[in-house]
């Protein structure tokens, strides 16, 4: 499963592309040939001084210094056909070459730092939201994640599939906000879900656990904000309180879809916490199981009294496609929403690549990709023998 966007290779620590390394050499040869063939009628020799700065973007300090030396040598050789530069001209070209060497050296150091920081960031993000295995227990899985913020692997959407004593459980969710600002909330919810897979015998208990996790995070954020405001509130006691009584406490909420595949049963149990319904793909038909939506997480309402578990029977070959609203709320140039249910039948010809096919179709529909985080998860039981 791939979650990263295609980016230039040198941003991942790879060498610069071949064309970037060849371009200064080609320009050097072309300028010398033009100068020789025109016999001084077209004075292009001093354009050679621009080659070391160009080389600095593709070569290190040593390679750039070599280009600077070659340029100085060519400018000083009569056979090259260039005008005879004076000492001040050569000094200027030498200064440009020296500056180019410094630029190349600084660039290499910054590239090394960028690769190091990016490696650590990717490792941390993948630890928060690791790729979904192809199979978890008896359940086959396929997932795709695209963060809205370029250069990140994790945003405000989340999913996970885990096996525990009560069967295989899956989570697809969407927290408030997107990008790196939402990663902390995503990490907290995933941690609570993984505990619930092992400890909670009922799926509604997992939903209640996630709800409590968000409420605790909200209270913690509010306490931190109050502590930070206390220092600035000295002498302004009259304005310290909030008119609505909230004290400036931030709100955290999330929608989530919880699924459970009980051991030995050909069904899936679903609990919806304000999340878009999953799609049931059966043969060539696509339908939405009748699942009663409950309140979103973080409101203190996702408990056994309000959460409703729906049992959906499964037949051999059935698949469930869970997604986040970044898919269905994506718009085309005319402002129309992406019709996922209507387009899936034409995209499911390759069951193994359904999530990738949906993503590619979404890219074409939106002409470049949606502006929100996108998560897709396909789950299915093995076919009957």
């Amino acid at each position: 499963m791939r979650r990263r966007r295609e980016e230039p290779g040198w941003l991942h620590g790879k060498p610069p592309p071949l064309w970037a390394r060849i371009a200064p050499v080609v320009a050097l040869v072309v300028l010398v040939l033009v100068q020789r063939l025109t016999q001084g009628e077209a004075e292009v020799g001093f354009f050679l001084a621009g080659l070391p700065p160009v080389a600095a973007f593709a070569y290190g300090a040593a390679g750039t210094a070599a280009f600077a030396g070659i340029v100085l040598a060519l400018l000083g050789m009569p056979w090259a056909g260039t005008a005879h530069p004076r000492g001040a001209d050569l000094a200027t070209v030498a200064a440009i070459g020296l500056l180019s060497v410094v630029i190349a050296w600084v660039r290499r150091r910054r590239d090394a730092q960028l690769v190091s920081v990016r490696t650590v960031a990717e490792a941390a993000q993948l630890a928060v939201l690791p790729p979904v295995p192809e199979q978890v227990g008896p359940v086959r899985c396929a997932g795709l994640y695209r963060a809205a913020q370029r250069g990140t692997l994790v945003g405000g959407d989340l999913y996970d599939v885990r096996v525990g004593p009560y069967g295989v459980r899956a989570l697809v969710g969407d927290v408030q906000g997107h990008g790196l600002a939402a990663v902390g909330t995503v990490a907290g919810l995933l941690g609570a879900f993984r505990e619930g897979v092992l400890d909670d015998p009922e799926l509604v208990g997992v939903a209640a656990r996630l709800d409590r996790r968000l409420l605790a995070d909200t209270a913690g954020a509010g306490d931190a904000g109050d502590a930070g405001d206390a220092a600035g509130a000295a002498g302004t006691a009259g304005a310290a309180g909030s008119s609505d009584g909230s004290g400036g406490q931030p709100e955290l909420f999330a929608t989530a879809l919880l699924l459970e595949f009980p051991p030995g049963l050909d069904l899936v149990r679903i609990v919806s916490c304000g999340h878009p319904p999953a799609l049931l793909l059966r043969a060539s038909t696509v339908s939405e199981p009748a699942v009663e939506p409950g309140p979103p997480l973080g409101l203190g309402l996702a408990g056994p009294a309000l959460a409703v578990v729906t049992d959906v029977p499964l037949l051999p070959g059935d698949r469930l496609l869970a997604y986040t609203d970044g898919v269905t709320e994506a718009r085309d140039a005319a402002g129309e929403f992406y019709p996922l249910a209507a387009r899936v039948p034409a995209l499911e010809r390759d069951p193994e690549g359904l999530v990738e096919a949906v993503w590619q179709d979404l890219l074409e529909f939106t002409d470049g990709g949606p502006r929100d985080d996108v998560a897709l998860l396909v789950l299915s039981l093995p076919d009957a023998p």
Side-chain angles (χ1 to χ4, degrees), residues 53-121:
V54 175
F57 289 98
Y59 292 87
T64 304
F67 268 96
I70 293 172
V71 167
L72 285 172
L74 290 174
L75 289 176
M77 292 180 180
W79 64 266
T82 60
H84 299 293
R86 293 174 296 180
D89 297 328
L90 290 176
T92 301
V93 175
I96 294 174
L98 180 60
L99 179 61
S100 301
V101 171
V102 174
I103 292 174
W105 180 77
V106 172
R107 182 189 63 80
R108 279 291 177 90
R109 284 181 57 88
R110 294 295 299 270
D111 285 352
Q113 294 174 353
L114 175 63
V115 170
S116 177
V117 171
R118 185 181 181 89
T119 301
V120 173

Side-chain angles (χ1 to χ4, degrees), residues 117-218:
V117 171
R118 185 181 181 89
T119 301
V120 173
E122 288 185 354
Q125 292 180 77
L126 288 175
V128 172
L129 194 63
V132 174
E134 293 183 359
Q135 186 160 339
V136 178
V139 179
R140 295 175 181 172
C141 313
L144 180 142
Y145 193 105
R146 295 291 186 272
Q149 184 171 340
R150 186 174 180 82
T152 61
L153 303 181
V154 181
D157 291 357
L158 64 148
Y159 58 32
D160 201 4
V161 185
R162 299 278 165 162
V163 62
Y166 311 105
V168 176
R169 287 172 171 172
L171 165 69
V172 177
D174 184 1
V175 307
Q176 175 190 14
H178 60 265
L180 292 176
V183 173
T185 306
V186 168
L189 285 176
L190 288 173
F193 170 73
R194 291 159 187 169
E195 293 176 357
V197 168
L198 300 176
D199 298 337
D200 295 317
E202 300 294 335
L203 199 57
V204 292
V206 181
R209 181 186 292 265
L210 298 178
D211 190 56
R212 292 195 303 271
R213 175 72 269 168
L214 274 184
L215 288 174
D217 289 348
T218 300

